[in-house]
Amino acid sequence: MTSTSDSHHSLRGLGAAAALAGTLIVGPASAAAANDASTDRSAGDNAAPHLAVSESDFDKTPNGQQIARYHLTNRNGMAVDIITFGARIQSITVPDENGKQADVALGFDNVKDYIDNQSVYFGAIIGRYGNRIAGGTFKLDGKTYNLPKNNGPNTLHGGTQGFDQKVWAASPIDTGNAVGVELTHFSPDGTMGFPGNLAVTVRYTLDNNNDLRIRYSAVSDKDTVINLTNHVYFNLAGAGSGDVLDQVAMINADQFTPIDKTLIPTGKLKPVKGTPLDFITPTPIGKNIHADNQQLKYAEPKQGGYDFNWVLNTKGNIDDLAARVTDPKSGRTVEMYTDQPGVQFYTSNFLDGSLKGAHGNTLGHWGGFTLEAQHYPDSPNQPDFPSTTLKAGEKYTQTTVYRFLPE
Ligand code: BGC
C-alpha cells in the first residue's frame, strides 16, 4: 500500500512539474517543492514515476469555454487523463508485461471530435439514464414523463444532450494513497424530460494498485430515475491497434437480459449457458461473435457483435470480480469490480474505420469493448428489475473499479 510519505513525495514532484511544464499544479506541497525536479517524470526519463495529479488546458468548446485535463499518474507508470467535457476518461496509459506503454482507452484529442461524434460516447459519464428507456417514456408516482428519442423509438444514454455533452466543474483530489479529480454537474428539473433538480458528483481516483475507481453520487429534490455509468472503450493491445476479437473475456454472470429488435429488454432473465453470451469461462471475444443466434443479430445485424446487459452474479458485492478481459499478446488485463447489478458489454459494433481517434488512430469495427457497470436497461418500465427510482432527498451512490494488470 502507499504510505503518506509516498504521496507527499509525489506532491513535491508536482511542484517541479508545474515549474517545467507550465501547468497548474495542485496539492498542499506544490509551491514549496517547485525546485525539486528530480522526482518528477517530466523532469527527465530517468526520474521515477509516482502518485501525482496535475491540471492543464485540454481544449475549448466552440463557444470558448475552457476544458481542463487532469493527468493522474502512479508509481507503476500508469497514467489516466480525465477531461471536464463530459467528465470523460480521455486516455489510460498502462505498461504491458515488458513495460511497454499503450493507451488502452479510445478517445479523441480535441473537443470538436467529441461533439461531432457524440454517439460514440468515448469515455463519458452517461446520465441521467445510461442505456435505453423504451419508447422514450416512463411513469413515476402516477405521472408520465416523455424524453427525447435519440435511438430509433427509444431514449439512449440520457437523451440528445446527456451528461456526456456537459462541461463539468472539477477539482483535484489527493487522499494520501490515491490521486484524482472530483467532477460536479447540476442538472435542472426537466432536463431531457427527467424530473427533479439533480446534483451529481463523480470522483475518479487512481492508486498504486492500478485501481481506477469511479465513485458516483447524486441527489434530487423530486422523485426521479437515475442510472449512471461510464462508457470507456478498452483495447488492451492499444487503441487503434486493430480489433479486440482475440482478447479474452470473463463475465461473472449466469444470466443476461434478452432484448427485442430495438434492444429493449423483454423483461425476462435468460441463462447464458449454451449461448454465445456465455463468458463464465474465459473466452476470446471473437470466438462466438458470428454464431447464428437471434440475440446476436438484434445486437449487430450485419457483422456480429455483443451489446447486452449481463446480470452479474456478484449481486452488488464490489469485492467479487465482475468481469476480466486479457490481451494474451501484451498480457495487459482489466478487471471490473462494481456494486451495480449489471454490466453492458459492448463491442463497438458501429465503428467502421472512418473515425480517427487521438494519436491519429484509426478506429475500426470491434476496435474496443465497453464494460458499462449499470442497472438493467429500461428499468423504469420493468417492474421486475431492480429499481432505478431515486427518492427526493435520498442519495444515489455507485462505485465501480477498473483494475489494470500487470501491476
Ligand atoms: C449501447 C449501444 C450503443 C452504444 C453507443 C452502448 O452502451 O448499448 O447499443 O450503440 O452505447 O455508443
Side-chain angles (χ1 to χ4, degrees):
M1 280 313 282
T2 318
S3 66
T4 316
S5 64
D6 251 4
S7 151
H8 183 71
H9 183 68
S10 74
L11 287 167
R12 287 163 57 84
L14 276 177
L20 290 166
T23 55
L24 173 62
I25 298 301
V26 294
S30 60
N35 56 3
D36 179 6
S38 60
T39 54
D40 194 275
R41 280 189 302 148
S42 62
D45 288 340
N46 298 328
H50 53 249
L51 211 53
V53 50
S54 62
E55 182 197 336
S56 60
D57 289 347
F58 176 69
D59 191 11
K60 289 197 163 112
T61 63
N63 63 12
Q65 233 182 320
Q66 184 64 54
I67 300 302
R69 168 172 26 208
Y70 287 80
H71 184 66
L72 325 179
T73 56
N74 73 6
R75 70 171 169 218
N76 308 317
M78 182 175 159
V80 178
D81 286 311
I82 308 290
I83 57 169
T84 52
F85 186 73
R88 288 165 199 265
I89 298 173
Q90 190 255 338
S91 139
I92 303 175
T93 304
V94 276
D96 70 7
E97 285 167 340
N98 304 312
K100 189 164 175 261
Q101 299 276 9
D103 183 355
V104 298
L106 274 54
F108 296 116
D109 53 17
N110 64 83
V111 171
K112 187 173 183 299
D113 280 349
Y114 281 113
I115 295 173
D116 291 351
N117 304 294
Q118 181 187 350
S119 64
V120 299
Y121 300 95
F122 282 168
I125 292 296
I126 305 292
R128 294 187 183 192
Y129 196 95
N131 218 300
R132 290 172 174 78
I133 295 183
T137 184
F138 67 94
K139 260 200 190 130
L140 185 65
D141 302 336
K143 207 175 154 202
T144 300
Y145 294 92
N146 293 306
L147 318 168
K149 297 172 190 169
N150 59 341
N151 188 252
N154 306 317
T155 300
L156 177 67
H157 295 335
T160 45
Q161 287 293 306
F163 291 173
D164 56 290
Q165 294 297 307
K166 303 294 176 193
V167 179
W168 294 56
S171 54
I173 299 173
D174 184 343
T175 67
N177 54 21
V179 289
V181 54
E182 177 174 293
L183 298 120
T184 54
H185 173 63
F186 176 74
S187 176
D189 188 11
T191 301
M192 295 285 110
F194 290 96
N197 289 299
L198 186 79
V200 189
T201 301
V202 173
R203 287 166 66 95
Y204 290 99
T205 53
L206 176 69
D207 66 18
N208 280 329
N209 297 320
N210 287 1
D211 281 6
L212 174 60
R213 184 176 300 266
I214 314 177
R215 281 213 176 98
Y216 307 73
S217 64
V219 182
S220 170
D221 62 357
K222 285 186 186 161
D223 290 1
T224 192
V225 297
I226 188 167
N227 188 26
L228 304 182
T229 193
N230 181 287
H231 207 288
V232 61
Y233 295 69
F234 302 105
N235 183 333
L236 298 168
S241 68
D243 67 50
V244 295
L245 297 184
D246 290 340
Q247 298 179 22
V248 176
M250 188 288 297
I251 304 175
N252 185 6
D254 292 330
Q255 293 177 298
F256 73 108
T257 50
I259 49 174
D260 68 15
K261 62 174 186 305
T262 70
L263 279 68
I264 292 295
T266 61
K268 301 206 170 65
L269 307 186
K270 216 182 144 194
V272 295
K273 209 172 168 24
T275 79
L277 280 77
D278 187 350
F279 286 96
I280 286 281
T281 310
T283 305
I285 293 171
K287 184 163 180 238
N288 299 311
I289 208 165
H290 303 292
D292 185 13
N293 173 279
Q294 186 59 64
Q295 286 290 303
L296 277 185
K297 283 189 188 133
Y298 285 155
E300 166 36 318
K302 292 183 205 118
Q303 302 179 66
Y306 291 99
D307 191 1
F308 302 97
N309 171 65
W310 273 255
V311 175
L312 290 169
N313 292 340
T314 51
K315 302 208 176 335
N317 185 352
I318 193 160
D319 296 324
D320 288 352
L321 181 63
R324 176 195 282 131
V325 183
T326 298
D327 172 35
K329 288 196 199 92
S330 66
R332 288 194 202 92
T333 294
V334 61
E335 295 182 342
M336 189 183 83
Y337 299 83
T338 185
D339 58 14
Q340 294 299 285
V343 63
Q344 188 85 8
F345 175 61
Y346 171 62
T347 49
S348 56
N349 304 329
F350 60 83
L351 291 181
D352 60 6
S354 60
L355 269 191
K356 288 266 181 255
H359 324 291
N361 287 334
T362 299
L363 304 171
H365 204 68
W366 309 303
F369 62 87
T370 69
L371 291 169
E372 302 159 58
Q374 60 174 11
H375 269 256
Y376 310 162
D378 197 34
S379 294
N381 295 309
Q382 300 279 359
D384 294 337
F385 287 178
S387 173
T388 49
T389 300
L390 176 65
K391 290 282 186 194
E394 288 184 3
K395 192 171 173 185
Y396 165 92
T397 61
Q398 179 198 151
T399 304
T400 294
V401 177
Y402 296 110
R403 176 173 298 164
F404 294 87
L405 305 168
E407 244 175 59

